[in-house]
Amino acid sequence: LIALEDLPHGKAYKGDVVKVKAGYARNYLIPEKMALYATPQNFERLGMVDPDFETEDQRVARMQRESSMSAREDKFLKEADLLKKYLKDKELKLWRRVEPDSVDALHPGMVTAENLREKLSKQLKIDLEDHEPIHIYTDGSSTTSNTINPLDFSEL
């Protein structure tokens, strides 16, 4: 398979060519558009060279591109992977009192990025810089529940 995005549990990163169990590919990765079958047409469509059929010159060029990552970028990726593993099973709990008769512009039960920064610092001992974004996604249920992704790893 050709990974179109980072696969769960660090199985592969975007652009990697990997082998996985047929059922995992057929029932999850392909339908969720997380991967494509590694066919010549898909390699051509993505502008990639099939690693099994690349020439020695192409292989050397690819290896040079991959190894040209600066030490700073390499350190950043290692730190991001470490943080991703640390946050994997963490849960952040926020409690808000909701006043049904409130006339405030902001709902008293509203959770802001500043609330999350404070709770991340106190509960999980994670201090984020002001330039590091916090994305809040509601799960769409009738009760308010938020999933917090303090760092966006989509560009890694």
Side-chain angles (χ1 to χ4, degrees), residues 4-61:
L4 297 177
E5 58 186 65
D6 293 349
L7 300 185
H9 311 295
K11 290 186 186 282
Y13 294 103
K14 182 178 179 177
D16 287 350
V17 179
V18 295
K19 292 183 181 185
V20 297
K21 291 184 178 182
Y24 183 57
R26 181 179 57 246
N27 298 321
Y28 180 66
L29 296 178
I30 301 296
E32 295 292 323
K33 298 188 181 348
M34 297 174 81
L36 290 173
Y37 288 109
T39 64
Q41 296 86 359
N42 286 335
F43 279 112
E44 185 177 322
R45 191 172 110 202
L46 295 172
M48 295 175 62
V49 176
D50 185 345
D52 293 337
F53 298 108
E54 68 185 353
T55 65
E56 184 62 25
D57 291 339
Q58 291 171 325
R59 188 187 71 74
V60 168

Side-chain angles (χ1 to χ4, degrees), residues 94 98 107 109-111 136 138-147:
L94 292 158
V98 177
H107 195 280
M110 183 175 177
V111 176
I136 304 171
T138 56
D139 67 0
S141 67
S142 58
T143 61
T144 303
S145 172
N146 292 318
T147 302

Side-chain angles (χ1 to χ4, degrees), residues 13 63-82 153 155-156:
Y13 294 103
M63 296 300 284
Q64 285 176 342
R65 275 193 316 271
E66 291 173 359
S67 66
S68 69
M69 183 184 306
S70 70
R72 183 173 176 262
E73 290 171 325
D74 189 43
K75 181 180 178 213
F76 173 75
L77 287 176
K78 287 178 183 175
E79 289 173 354
D81 278 342
L82 182 66
F153 293 102
E155 296 180 15
L156 298 180

Side-chain angles (χ1 to χ4, degrees), residues 119-130:
K119 291 295 183 178
L120 281 168
S121 180
K122 286 182 181 177
Q123 289 181 21
L124 301 179
K125 307 294 186 238
I126 297 173
D127 295 317
L128 297 177
E129 301 291 328
D130 288 335

